Each structure stands twice: as structure tokens, then as C-alpha cells.
Amino acid sequence: MHIHLDALGGVAGDMFAAALLDAFPEHQEGVHASVRAVDARIACALRPHNDGILSGARFVVSGPDAEPEPAGHGHHTHEGHAHGQGHGHDHGHDHGHHHDPASGHGDGHGHAHGGRHGHRPWSEIRAALKAADLAPAVRAHALGIFGHLAAAEARVHGIAVEAVAFHEVGALDSIADIVAAAHLIAALEARSWSVSALPLGSGRVRTQHGPLPVPAPATTLLLAGFSTLDDGIPGERVTPTGAAILRHLCGDDPGRGRPRGILGRTGIGFGTKVLPGLSNCLRALVLEDGAASGPGRRDLAVIAFEVDDQSGEDLAMGLDRLRAEPGIVDVVQMPVIGKKGRMMARIQVLVSPESLAAAIAACFRETTTIGLRYHRVEGAMLARAARTVEHDGQSVRVKVVERPGGRTAKAEADDARGHAGHAVRAALRREAERLALEQEQEER
């Protein structure tokens, strides 16, 4: 399963949770349980919503310091900035994002929580998540998302990560958004994620340190490498929490495209702000593997490059290490003639698309190439099964393949290596293949 996020209105933590719960409502109770495990004072609900154009859902959080439901339609910015703990702030003042009039959105969409939640150190949030009765995978995803936020804010303010303290991102409603997102990511176990081009918005947000540009500085760091667009609608369109979730999901491959697949479930999650002429929503498209690409078909990526300045023995070791990398399907090399008549090795690597970024890094690490090419392709593969048979006290691995004309078997050559003489090795392999086919027939 692959999940593609279509950021029509933007991306925020509550919009992400709402979109996935709209597509997978059976996970509502699990989300509620995970959120309550972090803080029993927090309540969350999925509410149907229709903006007059589209219908979907909103993820609403309530608690002692959660952002109150707006009387009309506010912005999805119950997420603010983080600051070093040494920064002195008057907690009686507003800590949230107030939109600058130049952005086209009035200050009335900001937060005025007074001193209700102030600063919450990253170390305190991390300790609470570790102490909570969460499933290990949920805890890991929540810590990962918050970790991206903390690292980005530390860079923005020039402080150590341990010194980061959050404003609205540390409020209970934002913690609930992140824990809900973490629960859904863990529960759905999607093979991969992708996102459309992101609307960056424009204008400024006002903080206690003065006005800051949209997108917020931490958001820009988190969105490095993602495709963006300008749809002419101002305001904050991707929040820091939304950006941290995307970074956590897409990792080192933010440019990953939407793959082929069968379109299954869809979900629409709304933010609270009304955008002029546009639904403020995030849409989740669930793509199932299989029949859309035809039986036996799969998506692959091909990496290719040439090497002319690496010794043969070192290159062989490097390619062996590439073959052992997770997600790499095969590595082949062939001799070619390059510039100035030099003999070179052309390397071709087949890799699963979700492992492409890691495979590229491994190619640069294990070989001397300084540039490579890659593209995505479709592949076809026959159904196969691995068997181990016993013959004369020797275990031999055999691959049985379903071909259009019938099943064939191929014994692993390495398992005959200990026998002297071609005829002996060939006889061992033929007998192992015969036994494997017999076993296949008996089990059918």
C-alpha cells in the first residue's frame, strides 16, 4: 500500500490525522487510546465537515490547554515556534502565530492562550512520550516527528537541540495531533508515502520576537527538497508540525512521485481556516499494489554509472556491499570504452523505489563515481519459490519458477562447490532439481 497526500489547502497535523481517519475510520478508537495514554486529560474526536464544496472530516482536540474551537473558521495554526529555554518570555502574552495584515488575514486568527501552556521543553515532551503506555512503533514515530521539529528549531535559533522549548507545538492539542499521526502511520504500515507540490503561502506571522516570514523558518528547513507551488493564496499553508510529519514520512526522498497502483480508499481532512475560492483540505489517496500494474509486475528504479579509476578488486568488494544493501534487487557490471580510449566498468543497479535515496548514497559510498543517472521503470517477474532438498547427505537450495510452459527448477551452484569434477557437480544439481519438482507436484 502506498499513500499519496494531495495538499490542496496545505498540510497541518490535524489535517493529516483527519484525512487518514476519514479514509480509515476503523482506527478512531486506537488513535483515541494512544492520545489518552500520553495525557488522560486530552479528548479527541473526528467530526464530519462540509465546506460547501467538499465533504470530509476534521480532527478536533479538547483539553485543559487545547486550542478552543473557533466560533467561525480560524486557521490551522495551533502550532507555533520553539525557542531556547534561556529566552525570557512574558507568559502572560500571546505565544501563537498572529497573521500580519500584509498577509491578507487578520490577527483574529491567532491564539491568545495567556499563560496556559507557555514553554514546554523538548526534553519534557520526550520523557512523557517514553513514559506513556504506547505501542513501540507509535512511540518511535512520535519521537521521530518531534525530533525533526526540535532539530529544525535548534538550527533556526542557533542553540543545542536539548535547549529547545516549544510554544504552541508543545500544547496538548499539538501533542495530540502528532501522537494521532504516529498511531496512524504505525497502524497503516504503508509501504511508502508521497506528497503533491506544497503551497507555501506568503505574508508574515507575528511572534514575541517580532514578525517572521511565511513559511516559518523551521518549516523551510523541514521542507528542503520538497516540490512547491504558489497558488496566489496568502497565509501559512504548511505548519511546522505538518512539515515535520512530511519529513518523517518521506525522509531523504522528498521528491518521490506517486507510483502506479489501484486507487482504493480516499479521505479528506479539513483545517479550520477558510481559503478564498479553495477548500482548505488535505486529501489522502490510498494506492494498492497489484492488478493495476498487472499480475507479476513491479515498480523498480535503475541506477547507472561508470567507473574508470577504481581498482578491480576494490570495485568487486564495493559491488558486493551494494548487493547486500536493503532494497537493492541486483547489481551488474559490464566493460565499456570511455573517453580517451579508457576501459571502464559500467554499473547498473536495480532497486525498489522506496529505497532509491539510500541506494544512491551507497553507490557514492562504495565506488569512486562522482555522478550517476537514475530513472523509474516497470518490471515483470515470474512467480517463484525457494526450496531446500537433501541428496546423499547434501543440502541443496533450488529455485522453482512458474513459467508459461510449465515449472522449471534451478539448483544453487554454490551448493555444489565442494564436489570435484564437472560431471559430479552437474549430476548433483540435476538430481536436486528433479527432487524439488517432485516435491512441488506432491504438494499441489
Side-chain angles (χ1 to χ4, degrees), residues 70-163:
H73 294 283
H75 188 16
H76 53 234
T77 53
H78 51 270
E79 309 169 35
H81 297 292
H83 302 280
Q85 294 183 46
H87 293 189
H89 292 289
D90 178 357
H91 293 281
H93 291 156
D94 178 7
H95 298 168
H97 286 177
H98 278 234
H99 289 282
D100 188 281
S103 73
H105 302 288
D107 291 342
H109 296 305
H111 316 296
H113 299 313
R116 285 186 295 158
H117 47 75
H119 298 155
R120 183 165 287 154
W122 159 226
S123 58
E124 177 184 316
I125 295 173
R126 183 175 57 206
L129 291 171
K130 289 182 177 180
D133 184 19
L134 293 169
V138 176
R139 180 182 296 106
H141 286 302
L143 288 170
I145 295 167
F146 260 117
H148 286 299
L149 270 171
E153 293 290 359
R155 286 183 59 190
V156 167
H157 296 289
I159 58 176
V161 173
E162 289 301 312

Side-chain angles (χ1 to χ4, degrees), residues 75 77 81 96-107 109-110 200-207 209-217 233-237 273:
H75 188 16
T77 53
H81 297 292
H97 286 177
H98 278 234
H99 289 282
D100 188 281
S103 73
H105 302 288
D107 291 342
H109 296 305
L200 288 186
S202 61
R204 293 182 175 86
V205 288
R206 286 204 315 223
T207 72
H209 292 297
L212 292 176
V214 171
I233 299 176
E236 184 178 49
R237 306 289 296 282
K273 178 182 176 180

Side-chain angles (χ1 to χ4, degrees), residues 37-374:
V38 175
D39 193 314
R41 299 173 296 169
I42 307 176
C44 56
L46 187 70
R47 297 183 182 173
H49 184 76
N50 189 312
D51 68 349
I53 303 173
L54 297 173
S55 63
R58 289 192 54 230
F59 184 70
V60 180
V61 177
S62 58
D65 69 354
E67 177 71 11
E69 275 290 282
H73 294 283
H75 188 16
H76 53 234
T77 53
H78 51 270
E79 309 169 35
H81 297 292
H83 302 280
Q85 294 183 46
H87 293 189
H89 292 289
D90 178 357
H91 293 281
H93 291 156
D94 178 7
H95 298 168
H97 286 177
H98 278 234
H99 289 282
D100 188 281
S103 73
H105 302 288
D107 291 342
H109 296 305
H111 316 296
H113 299 313
R116 285 186 295 158
H117 47 75
H119 298 155
R120 183 165 287 154
W122 159 226
S123 58
E124 177 184 316
I125 295 173
R126 183 175 57 206
L129 291 171
K130 289 182 177 180
D133 184 19
L134 293 169
V138 176
R139 180 182 296 106
H141 286 302
L143 288 170
I145 295 167
F146 260 117
H148 286 299
L149 270 171
E153 293 290 359
R155 286 183 59 190
V156 167
H157 296 289
I159 58 176
V161 173
E162 289 301 312
V164 168
F166 293 112
H167 277 174
E168 271 66 23
V169 177
L172 291 183
D173 48 358
S174 292
I175 293 174
D177 290 347
I178 290 177
V179 172
H183 180 98
L184 290 163
I185 294 167
L188 297 177
E189 295 184 324
R191 172 176 55 85
S192 53
W193 299 74
S194 58
V195 65
S196 67
L198 298 168
L200 288 186
S202 61
R204 293 182 175 86
V205 288
R206 286 204 315 223
T207 72
Q208 288 192 340
H209 292 297
L212 292 176
V214 171
T219 302
T220 60
L221 293 178
L222 291 165
L223 294 183
F226 285 87
S227 178
T228 65
L229 59 83
D230 179 6
D231 59 8
I233 299 176
E236 184 178 49
R237 306 289 296 282
V238 180
T239 67
T241 295
I245 291 171
L246 294 180
R247 175 57 62 187
H248 180 71
L249 292 174
C250 298
D252 295 328
D253 191 15
R256 179 187 303 143
R258 185 178 65 198
R260 293 168 57 94
I262 304 172
L263 181 59
R265 304 192 193 194
T266 63
I268 292 179
F270 284 93
T272 56
K273 178 182 176 180
V274 173
L275 301 177
L278 183 69
S279 291
N280 182 26
C281 67
L282 174 69
R283 183 171 64 161
L285 304 177
V286 181
L287 303 175
E288 301 291 348
D289 300 328
S293 299
R297 302 191 70 83
R298 59 179 175 174
D299 292 323
L300 292 168
V302 177
I303 303 172
F305 56 92
E306 289 76 39
V307 173
D308 66 356
D309 59 350
Q310 188 171 3
S311 71
E313 58 186 5
D314 189 67
L315 178 60
M317 288 188 287
L319 298 186
D320 280 343
R321 294 182 66 87
L322 283 182
R323 293 184 183 97
E325 285 286 318
I328 289 183
V329 178
D330 198 10
V331 179
V332 297
Q333 69 181 106
M334 61 206 81
V336 295
I337 298 176
K339 61 184 179 182
K340 301 180 181 179
R342 294 177 182 170
M343 289 298 299
M344 300 192 300
R346 171 168 291 170
I347 312 301
Q348 180 174 285
V349 179
L350 288 181
V351 60
S352 56
E354 58 270 23
S355 300
L356 179 59
I360 289 173
C363 289
F364 285 127
R365 183 176 64 248
E366 299 296 344
T367 75
T368 59
T369 187
I370 59 174
L372 51 75
R373 307 168 297 283
Y374 64 88

